[in-house]
Amino acid sequence: MSKAGQSMLRGLRQALEHHQGKKTGSVEHKFSAADIARIRKSVGLSQEEFSEEFEIALATLRKWEQGKRVPRGPANVLLRVIKFSPKAVLKALQHV
């Protein structure tokens, strides 16, 4: 597995442990509705395309971008990784 893939898995495990109340030393980052829309637009995808490419329910993505819901746990980690390395996430998803 690539370093990017290992990093994503480590982040997802930490997010799950954090959600379960375990001390992981990780810091929870929260995205605003504007942040999520900005991440999506920086990848150059419509809501429908982003939803499909990153396997996020379209209704969920829309609620995040409208500020009606906030991504938590693994979804929050996924958005952070997409923000910093969208190509790595897309590449990892192509191997699924």
Side-chain angles (χ1 to χ4, degrees), residues 6-26:
Q6 290 173 356
S7 177
M8 286 186 284
L9 285 176
R10 187 172 41 257
L12 290 171
R13 284 188 193 108
Q14 286 179 344
L16 180 60
E17 290 172 358
H18 178 76
H19 179 72
Q20 294 170 340
K22 297 178 184 175
K23 292 185 179 183
T24 62
S26 61

Side-chain angles (χ1 to χ4, degrees), residues 2-91:
S2 70
K3 286 184 180 182
Q6 290 173 356
S7 177
M8 286 186 284
L9 285 176
R10 187 172 41 257
L12 290 171
R13 284 188 193 108
Q14 286 179 344
L16 180 60
E17 290 172 358
H18 178 76
H19 179 72
Q20 294 170 340
K22 297 178 184 175
K23 292 185 179 183
T24 62
S26 61
V27 178
E28 186 174 353
H29 298 271
K30 295 184 181 181
F31 290 105
S32 70
D35 293 333
I36 297 165
R38 196 171 14 260
I39 291 168
R40 177 182 56 77
K41 290 174 185 175
S42 75
V43 181
L45 299 174
S46 68
Q47 286 182 332
E48 293 81 5
E49 292 165 334
F50 192 89
S51 166
E52 188 174 313
E53 289 293 331
F54 295 107
E55 300 181 19
I56 299 168
L58 181 57
T60 298
L61 177 61
R62 286 181 173 156
K63 288 177 184 175
W64 289 346
E65 289 193 11
Q66 294 167 356
K68 294 179 179 178
R69 290 183 63 188
V70 177
R72 302 203 185 279
N76 196 24
V77 173
L78 176 61
L79 285 170
R80 288 185 62 215
V81 177
I82 293 169
K83 178 180 177 182
F84 292 103
S85 188
K87 290 179 183 177
V89 178
L90 289 169
K91 184 176 179 181

